[in-house]
Amino acid sequence: MSILPQALLCSVNKHRADRHKVTWDGVHYVGKCEGCGAEVYRIAPKQWRLLGPQ
Ligand SMILES: [Zn+2]
């Protein structure tokens, strides 16, 4: 577990989504980041990235 606020992690592109609320789009798990509300997808366990072009 991390003691850093999620909002701080979001600022360095380390998002976190509630895995109980994500959906499978056929390629990745997709959901909303709990820290910033952005659409994110999972690239690896506990690693989420912003969805769409950056
Ligand atoms: Zn975030």
Side-chain angles (χ1 to χ4, degrees):
M1 300 300 284
S2 173
I3 59 168
L4 291 174
Q6 183 57 37
L8 186 61
L9 295 173
C10 286
S11 69
V12 292
N13 202 21
K14 292 183 183 296
H15 302 277
R16 182 182 66 194
D18 184 339
R19 69 185 183 89
H20 297 294
K21 296 179 183 174
V22 300
T23 57
W24 177 253
D25 74 351
V27 182
H28 299 102
Y29 285 107
V30 178
K32 271 196 187 308
C33 177
E34 293 184 322
C36 63
E39 295 278 316
V40 292
Y41 68 94
R42 202 185 78 163
I43 59 167
K46 297 183 181 178
Q47 292 187 50
W48 298 83
R49 290 294 179 269
L50 289 174
L51 188 65
Q54 297 183 41

